[in-house]
mmCIF file of all heavy atoms in Angstrom:
data_model
loop_
_atom_site.group_PDB
_atom_site.id
_atom_site.type_symbol
_atom_site.label_atom_id
_atom_site.label_comp_id
_atom_site.label_asym_id
_atom_site.label_seq_id
_atom_site.Cartn_x
_atom_site.Cartn_y
_atom_site.Cartn_z
ATOM 1 N N LEU A 114 5.678 -2.693 -12.907
ATOM 2 C CA LEU A 114 4.358 -3.343 -12.958
ATOM 3 C C LEU A 114 3.248 -2.348 -12.609
ATOM 4 O O LEU A 114 2.190 -2.315 -13.242
ATOM 5 C CB LEU A 114 4.301 -4.523 -11.969
ATOM 6 C CG LEU A 114 5.233 -5.705 -12.225
ATOM 7 C CD1 LEU A 114 5.159 -6.705 -11.070
ATOM 8 C CD2 LEU A 114 4.830 -6.406 -13.525
ATOM 9 N N GLN A 115 3.509 -1.509 -11.599
ATOM 10 C CA GLN A 115 2.486 -0.560 -11.149
ATOM 11 C C GLN A 115 2.173 0.472 -12.242
ATOM 12 O O GLN A 115 1.012 0.798 -12.498
ATOM 13 C CB GLN A 115 2.963 0.140 -9.863
ATOM 14 C CG GLN A 115 2.990 -0.809 -8.670
ATOM 15 C CD GLN A 115 3.963 -0.415 -7.578
ATOM 16 O OE1 GLN A 115 4.545 0.680 -7.599
ATOM 17 N NE2 GLN A 115 4.163 -1.289 -6.614
ATOM 18 N N ARG A 116 3.221 0.964 -12.906
ATOM 19 C CA ARG A 116 2.988 1.966 -13.964
ATOM 20 C C ARG A 116 2.216 1.354 -15.130
ATOM 21 O O ARG A 116 1.376 1.998 -15.734
ATOM 22 C CB ARG A 116 4.325 2.543 -14.446
ATOM 23 C CG ARG A 116 4.926 3.467 -13.408
ATOM 24 C CD ARG A 116 6.185 4.140 -13.940
ATOM 25 N NE ARG A 116 6.728 5.056 -12.941
ATOM 26 C CZ ARG A 116 8.004 5.342 -12.800
ATOM 27 N NH1 ARG A 116 8.905 4.795 -13.607
ATOM 28 N NH2 ARG A 116 8.403 6.190 -11.875
ATOM 29 N N LYS A 117 2.514 0.089 -15.412
ATOM 30 C CA LYS A 117 1.808 -0.587 -16.502
ATOM 31 C C LYS A 117 0.308 -0.672 -16.163
ATOM 32 O O LYS A 117 -0.549 -0.388 -16.991
ATOM 33 C CB LYS A 117 2.392 -1.998 -16.675
ATOM 34 C CG LYS A 117 2.233 -2.521 -18.090
ATOM 35 C CD LYS A 117 2.738 -3.920 -18.241
ATOM 36 C CE LYS A 117 4.210 -3.997 -18.568
ATOM 37 N NZ LYS A 117 4.679 -5.400 -18.606
ATOM 38 N N MET A 118 0.015 -1.024 -14.899
ATOM 39 C CA MET A 118 -1.397 -1.169 -14.501
ATOM 40 C C MET A 118 -2.135 0.171 -14.548
ATOM 41 O O MET A 118 -3.346 0.217 -14.732
ATOM 42 C CB MET A 118 -1.484 -1.762 -13.087
ATOM 43 C CG MET A 118 -1.093 -3.228 -13.044
ATOM 44 S SD MET A 118 -1.454 -3.964 -11.434
ATOM 45 C CE MET A 118 0.097 -3.767 -10.611
ATOM 46 N N ALA A 119 -1.381 1.263 -14.362
ATOM 47 C CA ALA A 119 -2.031 2.586 -14.314
ATOM 48 C C ALA A 119 -2.035 3.282 -15.673
ATOM 49 O O ALA A 119 -2.559 4.389 -15.793
ATOM 50 C CB ALA A 119 -1.304 3.464 -13.285
ATOM 51 N N SER A 120 -1.468 2.632 -16.673
ATOM 52 C CA SER A 120 -1.241 3.343 -17.938
ATOM 53 C C SER A 120 -2.526 3.748 -18.660
ATOM 54 O O SER A 120 -2.533 4.693 -19.443
ATOM 55 C CB SER A 120 -0.353 2.506 -18.865
ATOM 56 O OG SER A 120 -0.997 1.290 -19.116
ATOM 57 N N ALA A 121 -3.636 3.050 -18.372
ATOM 58 C CA ALA A 121 -4.878 3.405 -19.056
ATOM 59 C C ALA A 121 -5.743 4.354 -18.230
ATOM 60 O O ALA A 121 -6.844 4.723 -18.634
ATOM 61 C CB ALA A 121 -5.662 2.137 -19.387
ATOM 62 N N GLY A 122 -5.263 4.764 -17.043
ATOM 63 C CA GLY A 122 -6.033 5.673 -16.183
ATOM 64 C C GLY A 122 -7.103 4.923 -15.404
ATOM 65 O O GLY A 122 -7.253 3.704 -15.519
ATOM 66 N N GLY A 123 -7.835 5.667 -14.549
ATOM 67 C CA GLY A 123 -8.928 5.070 -13.786
ATOM 68 C C GLY A 123 -8.464 4.130 -12.690
ATOM 69 O O GLY A 123 -9.135 3.166 -12.352
ATOM 70 N N VAL A 124 -7.283 4.440 -12.123
ATOM 71 C CA VAL A 124 -6.717 3.578 -11.096
ATOM 72 C C VAL A 124 -6.578 4.342 -9.774
ATOM 73 O O VAL A 124 -6.227 5.515 -9.773
ATOM 74 C CB VAL A 124 -5.325 3.087 -11.591
ATOM 75 C CG1 VAL A 124 -4.405 2.758 -10.453
ATOM 76 C CG2 VAL A 124 -5.498 1.882 -12.517
ATOM 77 N N ILE A 125 -6.886 3.671 -8.682
ATOM 78 C CA ILE A 125 -6.608 4.230 -7.361
ATOM 79 C C ILE A 125 -5.518 3.369 -6.764
ATOM 80 O O ILE A 125 -5.693 2.170 -6.574
ATOM 81 C CB ILE A 125 -7.851 4.193 -6.453
ATOM 82 C CG1 ILE A 125 -8.946 5.031 -7.109
ATOM 83 C CG2 ILE A 125 -7.522 4.702 -5.044
ATOM 84 C CD1 ILE A 125 -10.200 5.147 -6.316
ATOM 85 N N MET A 126 -4.365 3.977 -6.544
ATOM 86 C CA MET A 126 -3.219 3.193 -6.099
ATOM 87 C C MET A 126 -2.793 3.680 -4.731
ATOM 88 O O MET A 126 -2.616 4.882 -4.543
ATOM 89 C CB MET A 126 -2.096 3.403 -7.117
ATOM 90 C CG MET A 126 -1.047 2.335 -7.079
ATOM 91 S SD MET A 126 0.161 2.556 -8.399
ATOM 92 C CE MET A 126 -0.539 1.625 -9.721
ATOM 93 N N ASP A 127 -2.635 2.767 -3.772
ATOM 94 C CA ASP A 127 -2.144 3.229 -2.469
ATOM 95 C C ASP A 127 -0.789 2.616 -2.152
ATOM 96 O O ASP A 127 -0.440 1.547 -2.645
ATOM 97 C CB ASP A 127 -3.190 3.019 -1.359
ATOM 98 C CG ASP A 127 -3.245 1.618 -0.795
ATOM 99 O OD1 ASP A 127 -2.403 0.791 -1.153
ATOM 100 O OD2 ASP A 127 -4.140 1.349 0.022
ATOM 101 N N GLY A 128 0.010 3.384 -1.398
ATOM 102 C CA GLY A 128 1.359 2.924 -1.066
ATOM 103 C C GLY A 128 2.127 3.968 -0.286
ATOM 104 O O GLY A 128 1.571 4.627 0.612
ATOM 105 N N ARG A 129 3.412 4.101 -0.607
ATOM 106 C CA ARG A 129 4.274 5.050 0.097
ATOM 107 C C ARG A 129 4.872 6.106 -0.835
ATOM 108 O O ARG A 129 5.183 7.199 -0.421
ATOM 109 C CB ARG A 129 5.447 4.311 0.767
ATOM 110 C CG ARG A 129 5.070 3.183 1.706
ATOM 111 C CD ARG A 129 4.395 3.738 2.950
ATOM 112 N NE ARG A 129 4.186 2.719 3.980
ATOM 113 C CZ ARG A 129 3.257 1.764 3.917
ATOM 114 N NH1 ARG A 129 2.452 1.677 2.876
ATOM 115 N NH2 ARG A 129 3.123 0.906 4.911
ATOM 116 N N ASP A 130 5.054 5.691 -2.114
ATOM 117 C CA ASP A 130 5.788 6.540 -3.068
ATOM 118 C C ASP A 130 4.970 6.772 -4.335
ATOM 119 O O ASP A 130 5.532 7.050 -5.384
ATOM 120 C CB ASP A 130 7.099 5.833 -3.453
ATOM 121 C CG ASP A 130 6.847 4.455 -4.065
ATOM 122 O OD1 ASP A 130 5.745 3.897 -3.856
ATOM 123 O OD2 ASP A 130 7.735 3.937 -4.762
ATOM 124 N N ILE A 131 3.663 6.630 -4.239
ATOM 125 C CA ILE A 131 2.845 6.694 -5.463
ATOM 126 C C ILE A 131 2.829 8.134 -6.010
ATOM 127 O O ILE A 131 3.109 8.357 -7.190
ATOM 128 C CB ILE A 131 1.403 6.171 -5.218
ATOM 129 C CG1 ILE A 131 1.428 4.815 -4.502
ATOM 130 C CG2 ILE A 131 0.644 6.079 -6.540
ATOM 131 C CD1 ILE A 131 2.222 3.724 -5.168
ATOM 132 N N GLY A 132 2.540 9.092 -5.139
ATOM 133 C CA GLY A 132 2.467 10.484 -5.601
ATOM 134 C C GLY A 132 3.828 11.081 -5.926
ATOM 135 O O GLY A 132 3.942 11.976 -6.766
ATOM 136 N N THR A 133 4.870 10.585 -5.266
ATOM 137 C CA THR A 133 6.206 11.166 -5.475
ATOM 138 C C THR A 133 6.986 10.487 -6.586
ATOM 139 O O THR A 133 7.779 11.112 -7.276
ATOM 140 C CB THR A 133 7.059 11.034 -4.191
ATOM 141 O OG1 THR A 133 7.015 9.667 -3.774
ATOM 142 C CG2 THR A 133 6.575 11.948 -3.081
ATOM 143 N N TYR A 134 6.789 9.178 -6.763
ATOM 144 C CA TYR A 134 7.671 8.443 -7.667
ATOM 145 C C TYR A 134 6.959 7.589 -8.714
ATOM 146 O O TYR A 134 7.312 7.640 -9.892
ATOM 147 C CB TYR A 134 8.623 7.555 -6.841
ATOM 148 C CG TYR A 134 9.674 6.899 -7.686
ATOM 149 C CD1 TYR A 134 10.770 7.624 -8.155
ATOM 150 C CD2 TYR A 134 9.555 5.563 -8.056
ATOM 151 C CE1 TYR A 134 11.725 7.032 -8.961
ATOM 152 C CE2 TYR A 134 10.513 4.958 -8.865
ATOM 153 C CZ TYR A 134 11.592 5.700 -9.309
ATOM 154 O OH TYR A 134 12.526 5.118 -10.120
ATOM 155 N N VAL A 135 5.966 6.816 -8.289
ATOM 156 C CA VAL A 135 5.339 5.877 -9.242
ATOM 157 C C VAL A 135 4.488 6.645 -10.256
ATOM 158 O O VAL A 135 4.628 6.451 -11.461
ATOM 159 C CB VAL A 135 4.473 4.816 -8.507
ATOM 160 C CG1 VAL A 135 3.854 3.837 -9.502
ATOM 161 C CG2 VAL A 135 5.309 4.059 -7.486
ATOM 162 N N LEU A 136 3.622 7.527 -9.745
ATOM 163 C CA LEU A 136 2.726 8.282 -10.636
ATOM 164 C C LEU A 136 2.820 9.780 -10.320
ATOM 165 O O LEU A 136 1.841 10.388 -9.855
ATOM 166 C CB LEU A 136 1.274 7.810 -10.454
ATOM 167 C CG LEU A 136 0.978 6.322 -10.653
ATOM 168 C CD1 LEU A 136 -0.484 6.006 -10.317
ATOM 169 C CD2 LEU A 136 1.285 5.898 -12.096
ATOM 170 N N PRO A 137 3.980 10.395 -10.573
ATOM 171 C CA PRO A 137 4.108 11.821 -10.218
ATOM 172 C C PRO A 137 3.130 12.710 -10.984
ATOM 173 O O PRO A 137 2.832 13.815 -10.546
ATOM 174 C CB PRO A 137 5.570 12.152 -10.572
ATOM 175 C CG PRO A 137 6.001 11.072 -11.500
ATOM 176 C CD PRO A 137 5.199 9.860 -11.169
#
Side-chain angles (χ1 to χ4, degrees):
L114 296 174
Q115 290 155 9
R116 287 185 178 149
K117 207 183 272 176
M118 288 189 266
S120 60
V124 153
I125 299 183
M126 200 175 270
D127 81 6
R129 305 291 188 286
D130 58 340
I131 311 304
T133 52
Y134 187 76
V135 181
L136 304 175

